[in-house]
Amino acid sequence: MAPKPADPTQTQARKPLLAVLDGELREPPPMWMMRQAGRYLPEYRQLRQDKGSFLDLVYDTEAAAEVTLQPLKRFPQLDAAILFSDILIVPFAIGQNLTFVTGEGPRLTPPLIAGGLDDLTPYLARLEPVHETARKVKAALEPSKTLIGFAGSPWTVATYMVAGEGSRDQAEARRLAYSDPGKFSELITRIESVTLDFLSAQVDAGIEALQLFDSWAGNLSPAQFERWVIAPTARLVAALRERHPGVPVIGFPKGAGGKLAAYARETGVSAIGLDETVDPLWAAQELPAGLPIQGNLDPLALVAGGEALEGAVERILDALAGRPHIFNLGHGILPDTPIAHVEQLIALVKGAK
Amino acid sequence: MAPKPADPTQTQARKPLLAVLDGELREPPPMWMMRQAGRYLPEYRQLRQDKGSFLDLVYDTEAAAEVTLQPLKRFPQLDAAILFSDILIVPFAIGQNLTFVTGEGPRLTPPLIAGGLDDLTPYLARLEPVHETARKVKAALEPSKTLIGFAGSPWTVATYMVAGEGSRDQAEARRLAYSDPGKFSELITRIESVTLDFLSAQVDAGIEALQLFDSWAGNLSPAQFERWVIAPTARLVAALRERHPGVPVIGFPKGAGGKLAAYARETGVSAIGLDETVDPLWAAQELPAGLPIQGNLDPLALVAGGEALEGAVERILDALAGRPHIFNLGHGILPDTPIAHVEQLIALVKGAK
């Protein structure tokens, strides 16, 4: 598809993020930041202190809606809110117990390395509060802003479900995928099915665009990447498109590197998110013409600020100038990011012609 | 450069691995395995038990030579021995203290995050035993086998020196590179200089080919990758070529993904190693014509064995059939790899037509 010029009769009416996801060129590009609702914001830290654990906050729909809206209140030029939730809500609903251990990250018990899906009792109601949060955010959101929902991709969710925690190189899941592809395939299919209903219900609750986070797509061999990343994502995207034809799906296969072009071609995603290691100039050449690209500032350049940030932003804007482009980070914003640097970033992106 | 057909008058005389590194096509391809001298071999585990710590073994030149030769004794079809040593010998010589904590990996003290290079007292004699090992191996090596030496690339060595240990995403070094590029640049230059002399002395001791391990090249943004991976590697390769014009240098920028082509073009390496996540078909199309490629079997496919291994090997051999190709893993062999699977692999590669 070729990029569409902005339709002057529609330009004002249409939400900038949705316009770009539909293939329009916008300058300046719409922008949001992965993990924009989070620990770098003093107002978030305050609320966390009052409300308890991360999971308590996710399940307090009033508070979760407030957290979702916090970055837009502070930075009114951001173009989207992303639901405050976590990709591990899906395994929680599939029946693993979920806790977040401070300083150590999430724990899912029992890990599937030790048992099977049959040992788990599904508890799908654990997904519902997320939809309630979506409804609350939507009701409060300015009309020009887009509400983004999300889930983890089946592969990435499976890596946590198998190991029971985050792991350095996803060795447990990768091993299981080789040693028992039948069992692994059942797991992927189960995640796929719950994720489809979860995302579909998000759309019913007012979500306008979806992102699939595949944070651990990077460590797979090409054949395993085809089987466990591309194929399940393609099925999920096709099913979502059938249920909700107008709702775009952004794929974010972190670490996919040279396999990004195959991912873009074969999954059918509406747009592709680049992590910060990808050269946007390379992506502009290698990815299908007209496909919207999201990304990809190094979160450490944002921590650094100043000239390092200026240079990094400029390179991205220049490289993607001819493309439908959503400005974002290449990875979640870091907790020690100074607010002033976020302000500098927004000025750089939104001030640009 | 176009691949050279094998010169029939030279074919028998020339070492297969060196011939391919010089751009010749060989079928079957020469092969070796990263970490081939190591924990999957019972004879290695036995020697480790007798000799003590990993570092004790590296510094016992008699034992290190024996370990280097062990895989070739067991698998006579392997085409190369790689020196038994470690990339952290260089920081040890620059003046950090080096220990290997069982189950936790290496520790370098003091970490440079806390201090500067000026706090370290260089102790370059710590490199010499490696050269003695090289001489001993060379004297015992069959004439058809190639002796490979190696070092870490400046960026990867720097990540350990800064953090004082391995780190999940090299955050400490990446942060320092942004916050104090002057200090970081000094560190890189220092590593470069010691590494140049170290590799040069390896060649003087009988090493015939060199590999630069850039295990942590994967997490950098394109601009940082240019500055801290490509530029120092290019300088190192140029300096080595000037001192030792006939000695090939294999670059192994693990995780470089879509930036592999830029790395191949700009560093001047003689050959490029692919990690297991790279699609060899993609690499065959994207990398400069005629450039020898090394790789890239998923070490987990080797642990799995059987049909998974067969399929994975076939895909690599097919994809790289028209290229100078050295068969290798995409990453070090895993300790739980069954010996029988290594035998299966060698039969698959060396039995192939």
Side-chain angles (χ1 to χ4, degrees):
Chain A
M1 51 185 161
K4 302 175 192 173
D7 176 347
T9 63
Q10 289 245 341
T11 300
Q12 295 314 313
R14 226 171 169 196
K15 302 190 184 201
L17 194 111
L18 291 178
V20 169
L21 284 173
D22 191 34
E24 264 188 39
L25 293 173
R26 288 285 174 114
E27 218 179 300
M31 77 176 284
W32 63 283
M33 297 181 297
M34 288 191 275
R35 303 217 174 177
Q36 65 186 17
R39 288 180 293 167
Y40 74 106
L41 288 175
E43 56 269 35
Y44 171 84
R45 288 196 299 264
Q46 182 60 53
L47 202 72
R48 240 327 263 290
Q49 213 170 5
D50 299 345
K51 294 287 181 182
S53 80
F54 174 76
L55 209 55
D56 290 341
L57 202 51
V58 168
Y59 278 98
D60 178 335
T61 62
E62 200 66 49
E66 187 182 339
V67 169
T68 303
L69 290 163
Q70 277 176 346
L72 286 107
K73 279 193 191 122
R74 191 182 268 270
F75 311 113
Q77 287 184 284
L78 292 179
D79 292 281
I82 181 160
L83 217 49
F84 183 74
S85 173
D86 193 89
I87 66 167
L88 299 184
I89 296 295
V90 164
F92 193 37
I94 290 176
Q96 284 181 307
N97 192 33
L98 173 63
T99 49
F100 287 84
V101 184
T102 307
E104 293 185 31
R107 290 280 183 283
L108 288 165
T109 49
L112 289 185
I113 191 98
L117 278 175
D118 296 344
D119 304 333
L120 304 179
T121 308
Y123 191 0
L124 295 175
R126 284 170 171 169
L127 299 172
E128 281 166 19
V130 177
H131 309 129
E132 181 55 26
T133 300
R135 278 185 289 272
K136 286 181 172 150
V137 174
K138 191 65 180 296
L141 200 64
E142 268 185 59
S144 67
K145 311 296 183 191
T146 301
L147 180 54
I148 302 174
F150 72 94
S153 288
W155 161 254
T156 285
V157 172
T159 66
Y160 287 98
M161 290 187 73
V162 172
E165 58 189 351
S167 54
R168 188 177 165 128
D169 56 3
Q170 299 76 57
E172 293 81 359
R174 291 165 66 214
R175 281 172 179 269
L176 182 64
Y178 271 113
S179 66
D180 195 345
K183 177 177 170 182
F184 197 74
S185 186
E186 265 176 49
L187 173 59
I188 289 283
T189 309
R190 177 84 180 120
I191 299 168
E192 236 181 273
S193 144
V194 174
T195 303
L196 174 61
D197 289 341
F198 180 42
L199 291 175
S200 195
Q202 289 185 26
V203 174
D204 293 339
I207 289 285
E208 301 161 291
L210 295 165
Q211 176 152 323
L212 288 171
F213 284 87
D214 217 342
S215 313
W216 300 120
N219 271 325
L220 291 169
S221 76
Q224 302 278 298
F225 184 81
E226 277 285 339
R227 184 166 183 183
W228 306 120
V229 171
I230 289 184
T233 303
R235 289 191 299 261
L236 199 48
V237 170
L240 283 167
R241 196 147 290 153
E242 203 176 306
R243 292 199 197 175
H244 311 283
V247 178
V249 181
I250 306 165
F252 178 54
K254 191 170 171 302
K259 301 192 293 289
L260 274 166
Y263 177 95
R265 276 195 314 272
E266 298 171 25
T267 58
V269 290
S270 323
I272 194 154
L274 307 182
D275 67 60
E276 72 272 21
T277 72
V278 179
D279 183 349
L281 213 53
W282 173 87
Q285 286 160 4
E286 299 297 323
L287 298 181
L291 184 77
I293 291 180
Q294 176 174 283
N296 73 338
L297 182 71
D298 188 342
L300 283 175
L302 190 54
V303 172
E307 282 178 29
L309 178 58
E310 260 175 58
V313 170
E314 199 177 317
R315 269 190 301 276
I316 294 166
L317 291 177
D318 286 354
L320 299 175
R323 281 257 177 187
H325 175 213
I326 298 161
F327 197 95
N328 204 323
L329 308 182
H331 197 175
I333 189 169
L334 293 162
D336 63 341
T337 305
I339 298 287
H341 295 182
V342 178
E343 289 165 350
Q344 186 195 354
L345 169 65
I346 292 173
L348 286 166
V349 174
K350 293 298 192 175
K353 282 191 293 296
Chain B
M1 52 186 162
K4 302 174 191 174
D7 175 347
T9 63
Q10 289 245 342
T11 300
Q12 294 313 312
R14 226 174 169 194
K15 302 189 183 200
L17 192 110
L18 291 179
V20 169
L21 284 173
D22 191 34
E24 265 188 38
L25 293 173
R26 289 285 175 113
E27 218 181 301
M31 77 178 284
W32 63 284
M33 296 181 297
M34 287 190 277
R35 301 218 175 177
Q36 64 186 18
R39 286 179 294 169
Y40 74 107
L41 287 175
E43 56 270 34
Y44 171 84
R45 288 196 298 265
Q46 182 60 53
L47 202 71
R48 239 331 260 289
Q49 214 170 5
D50 300 346
K51 294 287 179 182
S53 81
F54 174 76
L55 208 56
D56 290 340
L57 202 51
V58 167
Y59 278 97
D60 178 337
T61 64
E62 200 67 50
E66 188 182 338
V67 169
T68 304
L69 290 162
Q70 278 176 344
L72 285 107
K73 279 194 189 123
R74 189 182 269 270
F75 311 114
Q77 287 184 286
L78 292 179
D79 292 281
I82 180 159
L83 217 49
F84 183 75
S85 173
D86 193 88
I87 65 166
L88 298 186
I89 297 296
V90 164
F92 194 37
I94 290 175
Q96 284 181 306
N97 193 33
L98 173 63
T99 50
F100 286 85
V101 184
T102 307
E104 292 185 31
R107 290 279 183 285
L108 288 166
T109 49
L112 290 186
I113 191 100
L117 277 175
D118 296 343
D119 304 333
L120 304 179
T121 308
Y123 190 179
L124 296 175
R126 283 171 172 168
L127 300 172
E128 282 167 18
V130 177
H131 309 128
E132 181 55 27
T133 300
R135 280 185 287 272
K136 285 179 172 151
V137 175
K138 190 65 179 296
L141 199 65
E142 268 185 58
S144 68
K145 311 297 183 193
T146 302
L147 181 54
I148 302 174
F150 71 94
S153 289
W155 161 254
T156 285
V157 172
T159 66
Y160 287 98
M161 290 186 74
V162 171
E165 60 189 350
S167 54
R168 189 179 166 129
D169 56 2
Q170 299 77 57
E172 292 82 359
R174 290 165 66 214
R175 280 171 180 270
L176 183 62
Y178 271 113
S179 66
D180 194 345
K183 177 177 170 180
F184 197 73
S185 186
E186 265 176 48
L187 172 61
I188 289 283
T189 308
R190 176 84 181 121
I191 299 169
E192 237 182 272
S193 145
V194 173
T195 302
L196 173 61
D197 290 341
F198 180 42
L199 292 174
S200 195
Q202 289 184 25
V203 174
D204 293 338
I207 289 286
E208 301 162 292
L210 296 165
Q211 177 153 323
L212 287 172
F213 284 86
D214 218 342
S215 313
W216 301 120
N219 272 326
L220 290 169
S221 76
Q224 302 278 298
F225 185 82
E226 278 284 339
R227 182 166 184 184
W228 306 121
V229 170
I230 288 184
T233 303
R235 289 191 299 260
L236 199 48
V237 170
L240 283 166
R241 196 148 288 151
E242 201 176 307
R243 291 200 197 175
H244 312 282
V247 178
V249 181
I250 306 165
F252 179 54
K254 190 168 172 305
K259 299 191 295 289
L260 274 166
Y263 177 95
R265 275 195 316 271
E266 297 170 24
T267 59
V269 291
S270 323
I272 195 155
L274 306 182
D275 66 61
E276 72 271 21
T277 72
V278 179
D279 183 350
L281 214 53
W282 174 87
Q285 286 161 3
E286 299 297 324
L287 298 182
L291 184 79
I293 292 179
Q294 175 174 284
N296 73 340
L297 182 70
D298 189 342
L300 283 174
L302 189 55
V303 172
E307 283 179 28
L309 178 58
E310 260 174 58
V313 170
E314 200 176 316
R315 268 190 301 276
I316 293 166
L317 292 175
D318 287 354
L320 299 175
R323 279 259 177 185
H325 175 213
I326 297 161
F327 196 94
N328 205 323
L329 308 181
H331 197 174
I333 188 168
L334 293 161
D336 63 341
T337 306
I339 297 288
H341 294 182
V342 178
E343 290 164 349
Q344 185 196 353
L345 169 65
I346 293 172
L348 287 167
V349 174
K350 293 298 192 174
K353 282 192 292 297

